[in-house]
Amino acid sequence: MPDSPPAPSSLKQTILRGAVLALFCWAVGWLAMYKLALGVVAGWVIGGATFGIGLYAIANLKGAPAGLWVTFGLKLLSVTCYKILMVVMVSYLSKDCGMSAANAQYAYAVFGFMMSCCTLLAGSITDAIGLRRTLTLGVSLAVLARVIMISASNPWIALTAGLVPVAVGEALCTPVLVAATRKFSTAEQRSVAFSVFYALLNLGFLAAYFIFDGVKGLSNGGMTIHTWVGDHSVQRVLFAVSAGIEVVMLPVLLLLRERDALGEDVAEGASAPMQRMTAGEAVAKSARLFSKLLSHPGFPRLLMFLAVIGLLKIVFSIMDGVLPTFLERELGAEGGARAGRANAVNSVLILILAPIAGILTRKIPAYPMVIFGGFITALSFVFLALPSSFFQGLADGPLGQAVIRGYFAWQGTAHPLFLMVVLWQVVFSIGEAFYSPRVYEYAVSIAPRGQEASYAALSAVPLILGKITTGTVFAWLLTSYCPETGPRDTATMWSIVGGLVLMAPLLLLVLRPFIRMKEEGKE
């Protein structure tokens, strides 16, 4: 007879964990308020959101192994520094490397393509050499690459010796934490665990957006920031901040020594004795696992599913690579500087909505929930496609004033575009809460045992495909419909994007008999 599961945490342990969490969140909020100079509102939002998601996790994941909590901590750190990198990437390429706006978008697409290729291979590498070793390698590469991008004066050195290694490093970190969440949770815990995982992802986004706005504010509207080592561009200072956060991951990695939900050691790899595995053997094993992934009968169906999801993930690339440019061209430099605060709306909402959606839909298979959330996400673009005059009355009213004057601290004319962006974020956040965490869950729930990371790597492909699509399509769309100077037709631009996103749930419905696969513990 199998051993009984461990008893739930006692009330005393829960109270103790809650107290430690509250102390940690107070420290996070204080640092945000005073050390990063983000202000009282941002400090309370970041600290309160961290406490809320932590309390939710403590209450709903009792009995989970310690490795799951370490994974959550690593995810929060990883996604914060990654998001800072992505938000500032296009600006860095154009302002520090001297690229045109269109070429910067194309380079952004190339970066996404490199990450896509590396992420596919990273899963098999993780299954071969273990979670912690892969993370250590990825974090080290990412930090080194950021240092090069900060210090290099030659743009080509920054691009070749900085952009390429950072793509490899970030790609190595991506599937590991998805696989770890799957391994450190049971089938019954999995929907809740992935909703917490996804909420933490958005908490990292939230922190990154506020850091982005805070650092840009230090420039007082200029192009450089004075630091103790001299004057540096805003972009390079942001890279330095993200590198510092990434370094913190290294000591946390030492805690990733735990058994999975079934009692098997996963931190060092489940099979070969890694201490005696040479580099050549590790490469050979990774190649075998990748070949096994490609030959799996369900691989083409999963790949088609994820390729379609890439159309939904366009939204996230728009937030990073397009919205800052769009706001700057429509509202000037002050408008572009508020892109981080605009995007933070989504992160705050997901912290609330993702756990709720995870609890309410935990017994429903992932595939139909992805379709449902996809339709809501596509609907959100109506708010950006409508004429701004349609929202002028609302912008002049109490709600508009609270959003424009209060949240965005905008002193100029109450432009309805701020309200349009917020409404877009609210609606697509509802759709995202239903579908996005389930994409990760779907990929790992159909994975054969021992290949969780390989399948987790595939779950990151839609987001990277979204970056490629955004970089290539929006280089043309911005030039054609929202140029830096001259007449603009942004309604048509957003209608085209909304149509692209709508294709995703429609294709999933049509292709359902051909690409849907059985999910562990769901059907």
Side-chain angles (χ1 to χ4, degrees):
M1 185 174 180
D3 295 335
S4 59
S9 301
S10 66
L11 179 61
K12 183 177 179 181
Q13 289 175 317
T14 302
I15 293 174
L16 179 62
R17 290 173 180 173
V20 172
L21 174 67
L23 182 63
F24 171 76
C25 294
W26 173 84
V28 169
W30 181 83
L31 286 170
M33 285 185 209
Y34 300 109
K35 294 301 180 182
L36 292 176
L38 299 181
V40 174
V41 173
W44 276 103
V45 168
I46 293 173
T50 306
F51 181 75
I53 190 59
L55 202 61
Y56 170 85
I58 290 172
N60 290 280
L61 291 172
K62 294 178 180 178
L68 184 62
W69 305 103
V70 175
T71 299
F72 287 161
L74 289 168
K75 182 62 180 177
L76 179 59
L77 294 170
S78 174
V79 76
T80 301
C81 53
Y82 167 76
K83 179 56 70 170
I84 294 172
L85 172 75
M86 297 311 299
V87 171
V88 78
M89 179 66 71
V90 173
S91 180
Y92 170 79
L93 292 172
S94 59
K95 295 177 180 178
D96 289 68
C97 297
M99 290 186 173
S100 66
N103 286 339
Q105 289 289 344
Y106 287 128
Y108 186 84
V110 172
F111 178 78
F113 178 73
M114 287 191 296
M115 275 199 67
S116 181
C117 296
C118 295
T119 301
L120 283 171
L121 296 171
S124 297
I125 293 171
T126 303
D127 286 328
I129 69 174
L131 301 175
R132 195 171 66 210
R133 285 181 175 83
T134 307
L135 270 175
T136 302
L137 179 61
V139 170
S140 301
L141 271 174
V143 171
L144 177 63
R146 283 174 170 85
V147 170
I148 292 172
M149 295 171 80
I150 293 165
S151 57
S153 56
N154 186 312
W156 290 109
I157 294 176
L159 290 172
T160 55
L163 204 61
V164 174
V166 82
V168 176
E170 293 295 344
L172 287 172
C173 295
T174 300
V176 179
L177 297 173
V178 179
T181 303
R182 197 265 195 191
K183 289 188 175 186
F184 290 130
S185 61
T186 64
E188 293 74 22
Q189 295 172 327
R190 197 153 296 143
S191 289
V192 174
F194 273 101
S195 68
V196 172
F197 180 89
Y198 195 74
L200 285 169
L201 182 147
N202 281 272
L203 177 59
F205 287 177
L206 173 68
Y209 291 137
F210 277 123
I211 290 170
F212 175 81
D213 282 358
V215 172
K216 288 203 76 171
L218 296 176
S219 68
N220 297 316
M223 301 290 291
T224 62
I225 295 174
H226 181 72
T227 68
W228 63 277
V229 290
D231 292 339
H232 294 281
S233 70
V234 174
Q235 294 74 231
R236 292 176 191 267
V237 172
L238 282 164
F239 280 157
V241 172
S242 66
I245 297 171
E246 192 111 32
V247 168
V248 177
M249 291 179 65
L250 292 172
V252 178
L253 280 171
L254 298 176
L255 302 175
L256 198 61
R257 282 183 173 274
E258 188 55 73
R259 293 180 178 274
D260 67 7
L262 299 178
E264 297 181 9
D265 190 15
V266 299
E268 297 299 336
S271 39
M274 293 304 304
Q275 291 81 356
R276 296 188 295 273
M277 182 179 284
T278 65
E281 290 170 337
V283 170
K285 185 177 180 182
S286 300
R288 286 197 303 271
L289 287 169
F290 188 66
S291 177
K292 185 178 178 181
L293 170 69
L294 296 178
S295 61
H296 190 278
F299 176 75
R301 288 189 287 168
L302 177 60
L303 197 60
M304 187 177 296
F305 168 81
L306 294 172
V308 173
I309 297 300
L311 293 171
L312 283 176
K313 297 292 187 177
I314 288 174
V315 178
F316 303 109
S317 298
I318 289 171
M319 293 169 66
D320 295 343
V322 177
L323 189 63
T325 303
F326 170 69
L327 289 176
E328 185 172 337
R329 291 182 180 180
E330 288 288 290
L331 301 171
E334 286 295 314
R338 284 164 172 78
R341 192 162 291 236
N343 285 332
V345 173
N346 167 254
S347 301
V348 172
L349 289 173
I350 287 298
L351 287 171
I352 301 167
L353 297 174
I356 294 174
I359 288 289
L360 294 178
T361 66
R362 64 188 183 277
K363 295 183 179 180
I364 303 175
Y367 196 97
M369 294 313 304
V370 171
I371 295 174
F372 176 68
F375 278 118
I376 297 175
T377 301
L379 178 66
S380 69
F381 283 90
V382 169
F383 294 103
L384 293 177
L386 287 171
S388 60
S389 58
F390 187 83
F391 297 91
Q392 189 63 60
L394 194 59
D396 293 332
L399 176 62
Q401 292 300 304
V403 171
I404 298 169
R405 306 293 185 201
Y407 180 69
F408 285 101
W410 183 256
Q411 301 302 319
T413 304
H415 201 293
L417 185 57
F418 285 114
L419 202 58
M420 295 164 65
V421 169
V422 168
L423 291 171
W424 164 62
Q425 297 251 359
V426 169
V427 176
F428 95 67
S429 296
I430 295 171
E432 178 192 348
F434 282 106
Y435 90 81
S436 204
R438 307 306 291 272
V439 173
Y440 293 101
E441 182 186 348
Y442 183 76
V444 296
S445 67
I446 64 176
R449 187 155 183 81
Q451 284 192 276
E452 292 88 352
S454 297
Y455 280 73
L458 294 175
S459 71
V461 168
L463 185 59
I464 298 165
L465 288 176
K467 287 183 175 62
I468 296 172
T469 304
T470 305
T472 52
V473 171
F474 270 92
W476 167 70
L477 284 175
L478 284 170
T479 302
S480 302
Y481 297 103
C482 189
E484 195 168 354
T485 57
R488 301 187 182 112
D489 183 10
T490 57
T492 299
M493 180 178 78
W494 292 119
S495 297
I496 293 171
V497 177
L500 285 173
V501 175
L502 181 61
M503 287 175 60
L506 291 175
L507 285 171
L508 288 176
L509 271 176
V510 172
L511 298 173
R512 183 173 182 165
F514 308 102
I515 66 176
R516 188 179 179 186
M517 299 171 67
K518 185 177 180 180
E519 303 171 41
E520 181 191 19
K522 297 291 184 184
E523 50 191 342

